[in-house]
Amino acid sequence: MNTLTSEIEIIKSKTSKINEVDFENLSFGKTFSDHMLECHYKNGKWEAPKVVPYHPITLDPSAKIFHYGQSVFEGMKAYKDANDDIFLFRPLDNCKRLNISSKRLAIPELPESYFMEGLKALLKVDSDWIPKKDGSSLYIRPFVFASGNGFHASPADEYTFLIACAPSGSYFSGKVKVLIEEKYSRSANGGVGFAKAGGNYAGQFYPTQLAIEKGYQQVIWTDDNTHEYIEEAGAMNIFIRINDTLITGPTSDRILDGITRKSIIELAKAEGIPVEVRKITVHEVVAAAKNGSLKEMFGAGTAAVISPISGFGYHGEDFDLPELENTYASSLKKRITDIQTNKCDDPFGWRYKVE
């Protein structure tokens, strides 16, 4: 694979939009910083990445992204502490997962140095865009797509890698009510469910819209074969607390290897919380809700970190979760965000200082 042999070229924007932004009232992912990282794959290799002004992309109508969906992405965040130092959370895991996703979709893997050095250069240029307000961060979206042309059903010969950034407030506020899916599937064995492929999310929108029309905010995905096993919550991994034990499904062809997910598992074990990584059936969850042993359910992902679930629907029946004073969701979220924002020690080595 290519390695970066020179400094990242930086082309700065002539004007900045930053004074037009209300950093006290940021929506998630709707405002974008002044610059982005751009890198092209041509003639069998990745060209050197550049930091350039944020700009629209021009593509030919025959670009293969439009026809065959070769597109993968990542989600990350950058934080600033009280000393204006910049931190990332497990960025090498994002780089590794981007390449795992790319390989599954026949996209050329990106050199780690291009990803990391390019990201650091971008964050230094747009450091003023990283908000310091509690709950806010600079959301980072690295993505790769097929930019080569042609209607032939085959992998493209050219690709584009971009990193764009959006200063953002909290992704979710409050708890969500979810519907356990009994018909549609997010992914299947042998498929691309483990990859962060754009098409995975496109396929979720219609069943989720049906759930919203019934009064729920999200869908809990079950396995494609029997719909008996709990797998994910919306676009997030899912955790279920029965009595004092925290349970989450194992990763597979169908379940994303979430970075927040594995951080929660490791952190919970370190804090003495019993953790089980195993298959869990819908009927086990329903039975626990009926006998009072179901204490918590929550989604886990980069954007929201942890999103508590207040109740769920299944077979036309609704189940409310108890309102507890001290929840695993709140304590684990605080511990992770304190690590991310450099407010506490990091015994796991997850925090990455941008220098």
Side-chain angles (χ1 to χ4, degrees):
M1 294 179 73
N2 318 47
T3 54
L4 201 60
T5 57
S6 60
E7 288 190 6
I8 303 288
E9 182 181 354
I10 296 172
I11 303 169
K12 289 194 175 182
S13 175
K14 294 179 180 178
T15 58
S16 175
K17 308 181 297 285
I18 197 165
N19 292 328
E20 303 168 14
V21 178
D22 180 2
F23 279 84
E24 295 299 313
N25 296 286
L26 289 168
S27 298
F28 183 86
K30 291 189 175 181
T31 302
F32 305 97
S33 66
D34 287 327
H35 299 86
M36 64 185 192
L37 187 79
E38 188 170 23
C39 185
H40 297 280
Y41 180 90
K42 294 180 180 179
N43 300 316
K45 65 178 182 179
W46 285 103
E47 298 177 346
K50 298 178 182 179
V51 174
V52 298
Y54 186 92
H55 66 273
I57 302 167
T58 300
L59 291 171
D60 193 280
S62 67
K64 290 200 172 185
I65 177 57
F66 299 134
H67 308 281
Y68 303 113
Q70 278 183 290
S71 174
V72 298
F73 70 95
E74 278 296 318
M76 310 171 65
K77 289 179 178 178
Y79 309 86
K80 260 188 186 175
D81 67 5
N83 298 318
D84 283 341
D85 289 326
I86 301 170
F87 295 94
L88 297 165
F89 185 72
R90 306 186 71 166
L92 292 172
D93 287 341
N94 290 102
C95 180
K96 179 181 177 181
R97 191 172 62 185
L98 183 75
N99 279 334
I100 290 172
S101 299
S102 293
K103 186 175 181 179
R104 180 61 182 84
L105 270 73
I107 297 171
E109 295 176 51
L110 186 80
E112 180 183 291
S113 62
Y114 283 37
F115 184 99
M116 290 301 301
E117 296 307 314
L119 175 57
K120 288 190 287 184
L122 175 60
L123 291 176
K124 289 175 184 177
V125 171
D126 276 353
S127 64
D128 289 345
W129 285 87
I130 306 174
K132 296 174 68 173
K133 182 181 178 181
D134 281 349
S136 298
S137 61
L138 184 70
Y139 184 79
I140 302 165
R141 174 54 60 88
F143 59 107
V144 187
F145 62 91
S147 47
N149 302 332
F151 290 149
H152 188 266
S154 61
D157 58 357
E158 294 184 4
Y159 296 86
T160 299
F161 170 62
L162 300 175
I163 303 180
C165 300
S168 298
S170 298
Y171 188 60
F172 288 120
S173 58
K175 295 183 178 182
V176 296
K177 188 178 177 183
V178 298
L179 179 66
I180 295 179
E181 183 56 55
E182 301 177 56
K183 177 181 178 180
Y184 296 100
S185 299
R186 176 187 171 274
S187 58
N189 287 330
V192 297
F194 68 92
K196 282 190 74 71
N200 290 345
Y201 298 82
Q204 293 185 28
F205 295 153
Y206 176 66
T208 302
Q209 187 59 45
L210 295 179
I212 290 170
E213 291 170 3
K214 295 176 181 178
Y216 302 90
Q217 285 82 49
Q218 266 297 351
V219 166
I220 287 185
W221 299 105
T222 50
D223 69 288
D224 63 303
N225 188 28
T226 67
H227 293 289
E228 291 180 2
Y229 296 96
I230 299 287
E231 297 206 327
E232 292 200 349
M236 309 175 79
N237 295 120
I238 187 168
F239 285 83
I240 297 164
R241 176 185 173 185
I242 296 179
N243 290 319
D244 290 333
T245 301
L246 198 57
I247 307 165
T248 192
T251 55
S252 66
D253 285 350
R254 303 183 307 276
I255 298 178
L256 183 72
D257 184 14
I259 293 167
T260 305
R261 171 191 174 276
K262 55 190 177 186
S263 301
I264 289 171
I265 292 170
E266 196 169 343
L267 185 57
K269 288 179 178 178
E271 298 197 353
I273 296 172
V275 178
E276 294 180 2
V277 179
R278 63 170 175 84
K279 291 184 175 182
I280 181 167
T281 66
V282 175
H283 296 296
E284 182 180 355
V285 174
V286 170
K290 288 181 176 179
N291 67 30
S293 61
L294 179 63
K295 304 301 183 185
E296 294 181 67
M297 297 171 65
F298 55 85
T302 298
V305 184
I306 288 176
S307 180
I309 294 169
S310 62
F312 67 92
Y314 180 68
H315 268 350
E317 188 175 2
D318 284 338
F319 301 88
D320 292 324
L321 275 75
E323 293 192 13
L324 307 177
E325 283 191 17
N326 300 307
T327 64
Y328 287 172
S330 60
S331 63
L332 289 169
K333 182 173 183 177
K334 184 179 188 305
R335 186 78 171 92
I336 287 177
T337 54
D338 282 353
I339 290 173
Q340 290 172 333
T341 54
N342 197 31
K343 292 179 179 176
C344 70
D345 64 320
D346 174 21
F348 308 98
W350 294 336
R351 191 165 54 225
Y352 182 98
K353 188 175 181 179
V354 176
E355 295 180 308

